Amino acid sequence: MERLNKFIASCGVCSRRKADELIQDGRIKVNGEVVKDLGVKVSLEDKIELDGKTISKEEKKVYLMLNKPVGYVTTASDEKGRKNVLDLILEDVRVYPIGRLDMYTEGLLLLTNDGDFANKLMHPKFEIDKRYVVTTDTKVTRQMLEALRNGVDIGDYVTREAKVEKLDEENISITIHEGKNRQVRRMCDAVGIKVLKLKRTNYGPLSLGELPVAKYRHLTDFELYNLNK
Ligand code: URA
């Protein structure tokens, strides 16, 4: 027996926290009955449904890389009716994003229905490097780059050391391993760099490569092996 929210999360539907919301919103049925009690425990014999569709742990696992376009949100449900990255995914299983990119940021986003895998990658202890390219019209000085490298105060947090490189007059690359809300934008803001465009190009060992904007592909076995290492 396990808690209903844990069961839902391990089916790859969403995080445990989100599962609590689904339960409270009355979207989950256990053996045909809507269950709103967060304390309920279930087993593999129980029939669990989300919005009328059975969810189970037996589903084929899929691992996708999307080149997220600007203007799409990555949250599972959006009360403002904005475009959602899930609208771009045409698979016969439900997947959800591993971590987040803000609405105005584009680039590499992983999605999966493997809840255990997603929760592992998102755990802060793994400190996965994420590389972003910032396009700016600010004249970036050496002092600015140094400050970004050493860590800057973004209000509620001082960022850890980052790898920072000036690529050319308009682009800098910033690699961080934390994932505070809008961290790169807030870091740039803190040192006076105006962000015209923000794109994630790498996630751990994975690289976006030539994947066109709004397109996705399945990860290769080699990429999965590298991510699991
Ligand atoms: N930093 C940001 O500012 N936005 C993101 O989406 C990710 C990192």
Side-chain angles (χ1 to χ4, degrees):
M1 297 288 270
E2 66 183 331
R3 288 272 300 260
L4 183 54
N5 65 358
K6 183 154 182 251
F7 182 96
I8 297 168
S10 68
C11 292
V13 172
C14 57
S15 66
R16 259 190 237 183
R17 189 156 49 93
K18 181 70 201 166
D20 280 337
E21 286 175 31
L22 294 175
I23 297 167
Q24 282 167 325
D25 291 346
R27 294 171 61 187
I28 301 291
K29 279 187 190 164
V30 177
N31 303 325
E33 305 262 338
V34 171
V35 164
K36 291 192 173 180
D37 176 359
L38 297 180
V40 161
K41 293 203 165 147
V42 293
S43 73
L44 285 175
E45 277 82 65
D46 292 311
K47 178 173 150 74
I48 317 296
E49 290 168 84
L50 163 60
D51 296 337
K53 275 198 213 163
T54 303
I55 55 170
S56 80
K57 299 195 190 209
E58 315 301 308
E59 254 176 8
K60 177 174 68 109
K61 300 286 186 243
V62 298
Y63 306 90
L64 308 175
M65 178 192 292
L66 169 72
N67 187 349
K68 175 195 173 295
V70 169
Y72 282 72
V73 295
T74 58
T75 44
S77 70
D78 183 52
E79 61 294 345
K80 296 192 190 122
R82 296 173 295 190
K83 287 184 281 190
N84 194 298
V85 287
L86 298 182
D87 302 339
L88 300 168
I89 307 294
L90 307 167
E91 293 289 309
D92 45 13
V93 292
R94 294 175 70 113
V95 293
Y96 75 102
I98 302 181
R100 290 182 186 172
L101 284 179
D102 72 62
M103 175 152 153
Y104 298 102
T105 296
E106 60 183 86
L108 197 165
L109 182 72
L110 296 181
L111 302 106
T112 185
N113 60 346
D114 183 340
D116 295 334
F117 178 79
N119 290 327
K120 207 157 80 179
L121 288 189
M122 285 189 284
H123 197 286
K125 107 172 161 216
F126 290 106
E127 304 205 329
I128 294 181
D129 274 350
K130 283 146 289 208
R131 177 174 181 265
Y132 297 84
V133 173
V134 176
T135 305
T136 182
D137 58 4
T138 307
K139 188 159 171 26
V140 178
T141 64
R142 235 183 294 159
Q143 286 84 348
M144 289 172 175
L145 296 175
E146 235 5 70
L148 289 172
R149 280 188 193 115
N150 293 333
V152 289
D153 189 341
I154 55 171
D156 51 0
Y157 179 76
V158 177
T159 57
R160 308 252 304 273
E161 281 186 0
K163 284 181 221 139
V164 181
E165 235 184 302
K166 187 163 170 175
L167 301 175
D168 53 39
E169 281 317 305
E170 293 169 351
N171 294 289
I172 55 175
S173 138
I174 302 184
T175 304
I176 56 172
H177 50 250
E178 312 111 287
K180 300 289 172 201
N181 190 26
R182 303 178 77 253
Q183 180 168 337
V184 175
R185 291 181 189 278
R186 287 157 72 201
M187 287 169 71
C188 290
D189 204 34
V191 300
I193 294 174
K194 184 170 156 201
V195 177
L196 297 180
K197 183 173 143 184
L198 181 60
K199 177 173 180 171
R200 181 154 73 189
T201 59
N202 299 75
Y203 184 96
L206 306 184
S207 166
L208 188 61
E210 300 300 313
L211 188 62
V213 175
K215 297 288 181 203
Y216 71 92
R217 65 172 176 81
H218 289 257
L219 296 187
T220 63
D221 289 344
F222 186 60
E223 285 173 322
L224 272 176
Y225 167 80
N226 281 330
L227 261 183
N228 273 307
K229 261 203 300 195

